[in-house]
C-alpha cells in the first residue's frame, strides 16, 4: 500500500506563498487522480485540488486562481503551489488519491497569520 508523506508547510503572512510536497513510497503513475485535502480545526476534511493523469486539474472555488496542483510520476511526488495565502487557508494539508487509495499521512501544517 502506498505511504504518503507531506512536507513544506509552515507559518506565513497573508499574501505569502508556500509549496507543499507529497512523496509517495511507491509508484503513483497508476493512480488516476491525485488530490490535496485540508482540515481546519473543528472542521471536516475538505477536498482542495485534484489532478487527473497529470493533465486535468480542478479546485475548490475558494482557492481557484491562487493554488496550483501538479504531479511528477517519475519522482512519485505531488505538489501544491499556494499563492496569495489567506488566514482561512490555515489547516493541516494532506495528499491522497481521489478517492483515497493509501493510508493518510501525518499532513503538513499551514498557518497563515500576521
Amino acid at each position: 500500500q502506498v505511504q504518503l508523506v507531506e512536507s513544506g508547510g509552515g507559518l506565513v503572512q497573508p499574501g505569502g506563498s508556500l509549496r507543499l510536497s507529497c512523496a509517495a513510497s511507491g509508484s503513483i503513475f497508476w493512480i488516476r487522480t491525485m488530490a490535496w485535502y485540508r482540515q481546519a480545526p473543528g472542521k471536516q476534511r475538505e477536498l482542495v485540488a485534484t489532478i487527473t493523469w497529470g493533465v486535468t486539474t480542478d479546485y475548490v472555488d475558494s482557492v481557484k486562481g491562487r493554488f496550483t496542483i501538479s504531479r511528477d510520476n517519475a519522482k512519485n511526488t505531488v505538489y501544491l503551489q499556494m499563492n496569495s495565502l489567506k488566514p482561512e487557508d490555515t489547516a493541516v494539508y494532506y495528499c491522497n488519491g481521489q478517492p483515497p487509495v493509501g493510508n493518510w499521512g501525518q499532513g503538513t501544517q499551514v498557518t497563515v497569520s500576521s
Side-chain angles (χ1 to χ4, degrees), residues 4-104:
L4 303 161
V5 179
E6 301 89 353
S7 63
L11 173 63
V12 63
Q13 292 186 342
S17 298
L18 285 173
R19 188 193 194 206
L20 306 184
S21 298
C22 170
S25 61
S27 177
I28 63 169
F29 83 92
W30 58 273
I31 302 175
R32 180 177 180 270
T33 300
M34 289 297 297
W36 281 94
Y37 304 77
R38 66 186 179 188
Q39 187 167 20
K43 295 187 177 181
Q44 290 190 332
R45 189 171 290 163
E46 170 189 36
L47 179 64
V48 175
T50 61
I51 183 166
T52 300
W53 293 135
V55 177
T56 304
T57 59
D58 198 11
Y59 303 89
V60 67
D61 285 347
S62 60
V63 308
K64 282 183 179 177
R66 302 188 296 120
F67 289 12
T68 303
I69 187 172
S70 60
R71 64 191 285 176
D72 186 335
N73 289 338
K75 295 183 178 180
N76 297 320
T77 302
V78 183
Y79 304 96
L80 185 68
Q81 178 66 44
M82 306 188 296
N83 299 328
S84 302
L85 283 161
K86 303 176 180 180
E88 51 263 44
D89 296 318
T90 295
V92 179
Y93 284 71
Y94 304 87
C95 73
N96 211 317
Q98 203 283 317
V101 298
N103 294 324
W104 291 96

